[in-house]
Amino acid sequence: MKERGKTPDQSSMPESRHIRVVNHYPWTGLPFTVLLPRIIEISRAWGLRRLAADVTGLGAPLCASLKQSMGHRIVSFVFTTSSKSALGYELLAAAGTGRLSLYARDASAECDEAWRELESAQADYKPNRTLNFYVAPGARPRRLPDVVGAHRRGRGQV
């Protein structure tokens, strides 16, 4: 929903809201039968009140199964050019105003890969006010300032 007087590059998120990334999981290519129990286990362990699930394309069956297991805590999200752009602008706004923090770097392969991708990320800003984030093949990472918090802790709040 567009707020009156706001453009897509202005965050609709309240200024006081801080985004803390406390963990991430690299699940590219894992089968549905592996993902479903892992997602349920992790969301219970973290005590999540809500979990946003992608219902675009192949995400729809996984989301439907999660809703059967977790009920109202699952929030369906459809990725479109517009919705991805809105999320991207909010993320950029949080990073630009110091309201974004990531867990402390550790020696894990997934952390190293995540930082490599963050430092190599590029964005194309389109005339229709959408944007496209991507990591180009062979992109050279640039050193980003650490936006870190405590080492991988959180309360599972959304």
Side-chain angles (χ1 to χ4, degrees), residues 22-132:
V22 295
N23 208 347
H24 78 279
Y25 300 92
W27 290 339
T28 304
L30 287 181
F32 176 83
T33 55
V34 172
L35 284 176
L36 182 62
R38 283 193 187 175
I39 292 169
I40 293 169
E41 176 187 343
I42 290 166
S43 48
R44 287 184 178 148
W46 281 87
L48 298 182
R49 293 183 297 189
R50 286 182 304 216
L51 176 67
D54 173 18
V55 293
T56 312
L58 295 176
L62 179 61
C63 184
S65 294
L66 286 169
K67 280 189 176 193
Q68 285 181 337
S69 298
M70 300 174 66
H72 70 278
R73 292 183 290 166
I74 301 300
V75 177
S76 300
F77 188 85
V78 177
F79 280 102
T80 64
T81 301
S82 176
S83 67
K84 285 189 237 182
S85 294
L87 288 172
Y89 281 118
E90 287 191 15
L91 184 63
L92 287 171
T97 58
R99 295 180 290 116
L100 172 67
S101 61
L102 305 174
Y103 58 84
R105 292 184 196 214
D106 59 27
S108 68
E110 71 268 7
C111 182
D112 288 345
E113 178 65 12
W115 276 95
R116 187 196 66 74
E117 288 184 10
L118 286 169
E119 292 172 339
S120 301
Q122 299 176 31
D124 288 335
Y125 297 88
K126 309 287 184 173
N128 64 357
R129 299 190 146 207
T130 61
L131 74 138
N132 180 36

Side-chain angles (χ1 to χ4, degrees), residues 138-156:
R140 297 182 53 124
R142 62 199 179 288
R143 182 72 181 165
L144 295 177
D146 283 332
V147 286
V148 297
H151 184 73
R152 295 191 185 204
R153 66 182 173 90
R155 289 185 271 231

